Amino acid sequence: MPDPGATSDRAVTPDHGATSNRSVTAGHAVERRGSAGCVITAGGAYGARLARDGDCWFPERWTLDGPEPYAVPLPGNQPEEPGTEVQPMADGRVLIRRPTDGRHAFSLLYPTGPCTGELTLGAVECPDEGTRLHLLPPAPCGERAYALAVGRHSTAVWLVAGGTFGPEHLAEIPGRCSGGVWLDRTGRMLALDREVDGRTKAVVVDLERGGEVSPLLQIAADSDDRLLLADPDSGLLLISSDAPSPGEARLGWGVLGSMLPVRFPESLRPPDLTLTPFASQPGQALLPEACAVALRIDGSYGTWVGVWRPADRQLHQLTAPDGWLAGSGLWTPEGVLRLPYATEAEPCGVAPLTTPSATPPSSPAAPPAGPTTTAPAAPRPVPLQQAPLGRLVTK
């Protein structure tokens, strides 16, 4: 339940025995290795992450929409504990979730002179040790933030920032849910991967209709079907399913609201590599096959970047910048992929990658030799079956 002591506003003076504001601000002369990835607002104006000062962690806000990116440290009275999450808001404040003994406290942080201002929002109680709570991806509007509390038999959706009286319980969904993908630009339709009776299927939760749940993705009766990424402009969906290869999760794509089948191209199945989509190119209205997707690629010799479009049927593999906050980045409508990175020499940077343009399918190229080469063109994807994606019906 919400904490009755919500909405108090205070300034936090750094504890100089732990993480002092001065030591962080002076050129950011801190140890950055092992820092967490960067969470970016849907609009791309701000990012937030936990940065590292020696063995201590503190929140940091990145401003990304100016001539040059810059970071503002937001340390509190003491270093942050493991399990802390941060998320930027559209107005430049940073939401922080601090877990302590079955209780999750939420506050908004902002810079105020030499100190960190903190607006406490309240807390969500999770007394059951089996319940896990985490923030959902940034809402499209940037004015609200949501969290998922996963219990033993059901999952709760909470509005934790942007409400009227602190955290608000919005919906209770039967089954254990994971993931979290926004399907529209208003923040109404939320896709979750729900596990029931040992099978996982993507469903849609309508937050304006009391958390009404409807099916989204059901490829086969005995398959696990998860939604990894959705582009609201083009309707492109990236999914994971073991339907085409039982026991092996494969990446596939479909179009929201389309009656065409889900496809599982070989170009998204490179041997001995793990692909994780993290950003899609905006502004591709009604052009799902031309919509570019950025993927994190993990292999035995490191982590780098992949770019893929359905029309290309190729996975372009590109070198990531040094210090890339792996798995984070955003596209511009013009097709430039911007990747945040942090090194000792440049603690707040954004590397623009101009990616290959969409081209008609070509003959297979030579096999790739490393992360800077291009994977061979794959044959036309063969549909698994006529497995349409569920339409979103709003009344």
Side-chain angles (χ1 to χ4, degrees):
M1 296 298 292
D3 184 355
T7 67
S8 67
D9 202 0
R10 63 189 179 93
V12 177
T13 303
D15 180 354
H16 294 277
T19 307
S20 72
N21 197 54
R22 178 182 177 186
S23 65
V24 173
T25 306
H28 290 255
V30 296
E31 177 60 46
R32 300 282 172 163
R33 288 189 292 272
S35 55
C38 186
V39 181
I40 302 174
T41 57
Y46 294 101
R49 70 174 188 134
L50 287 179
R52 188 172 178 178
D53 183 1
D55 294 330
C56 302
W57 296 90
F58 65 93
E60 188 176 70
R61 186 195 71 189
W62 287 32
T63 298
L64 303 173
D65 60 349
E68 294 289 339
Y70 66 91
V72 176
L74 296 170
N77 282 327
Q78 59 187 21
E80 299 300 337
E81 297 293 331
T84 299
E85 286 185 289
V86 293
Q87 185 173 116
M89 307 296 289
D91 60 5
R93 294 184 294 181
V94 172
L95 175 70
I96 186 168
R97 177 187 70 86
R98 297 184 175 109
T100 54
D101 299 327
R103 186 174 183 270
H104 301 263
F106 296 91
S107 296
L108 289 171
L109 308 178
Y110 53 93
T112 170
C115 305
T116 299
E118 181 168 345
L119 174 65
T120 60
L121 301 176
V124 174
E125 302 286 347
C126 296
D128 188 341
E129 293 183 359
T131 299
R132 298 290 180 266
L133 186 144
H134 62 86
L135 291 174
L136 286 167
C141 66
E143 298 174 354
R144 299 185 297 273
Y146 299 85
L148 209 62
V150 185
R152 299 179 186 274
H153 306 291
S154 66
T155 300
V157 179
W158 286 83
L159 174 66
V160 296
T164 306
F165 303 107
E168 300 175 16
H169 181 272
L170 298 181
E172 194 75 23
I173 304 163
R176 294 176 59 86
C177 295
S178 58
V181 176
W182 296 103
L183 298 178
D184 59 1
R185 293 293 185 192
T186 66
R188 173 179 178 176
M189 295 296 188
L190 173 67
L192 297 173
D193 302 324
R194 182 173 67 169
E195 179 187 348
V196 177
D197 297 331
R199 292 296 174 191
T200 300
K201 304 289 183 182
V203 298
V204 179
V205 180
D206 188 336
L207 296 182
E208 290 188 6
R209 300 187 66 177
E212 181 179 273
V213 178
S214 57
L216 175 65
L217 191 63
Q218 299 188 50
I219 299 178
D222 58 351
S223 61
D224 291 321
D225 311 317
R226 296 175 171 88
L227 181 63
L228 305 180
L229 180 144
D231 180 72
D233 295 335
S234 66
L236 178 67
L237 303 180
L238 267 289
I239 71 165
S240 169
S241 176
D242 60 356
S245 305
E248 175 195 355
R250 291 185 54 179
L251 286 183
W253 69 280
V255 180
L256 187 65
S258 171
M259 297 302 292
L260 294 175
V262 175
R263 306 178 191 183
F264 297 89
E266 289 297 319
S267 57
L268 292 179
R269 195 188 185 189
D272 302 321
L273 299 178
T274 300
L275 307 184
T276 307
F278 64 87
S280 60
Q281 182 182 359
Q284 306 300 299
L286 305 179
L287 296 172
E289 294 199 356
C291 182
V293 175
L295 304 102
R296 169 177 171 163
I297 303 179
D298 291 286
S300 58
Y301 47 93
T303 299
W304 58 99
V305 183
V307 173
W308 176 85
R309 294 178 179 85
D312 285 351
R313 303 202 297 273
Q314 288 182 314
L315 174 66
H316 302 279
Q317 301 185 43
L318 308 170
T319 301
D322 290 340
W324 177 39
L325 303 180
S328 57
L330 71 154
W331 288 92
T332 68
E334 295 74 29
V336 177
L337 179 60
R338 306 184 71 211
L339 300 177
Y341 66 91
T343 63
E344 291 186 7
E346 193 169 0
C348 178
V350 175
L353 284 185
T354 302
T355 61
S357 301
T359 56
S362 58
S363 58
T372 60
T373 61
T374 301
R380 180 177 296 278
V382 178
L384 173 67
Q385 64 177 29
Q386 297 297 318
L389 303 175
R391 288 184 179 275
L392 296 181
V393 181
T394 57
K395 298 179 181 180

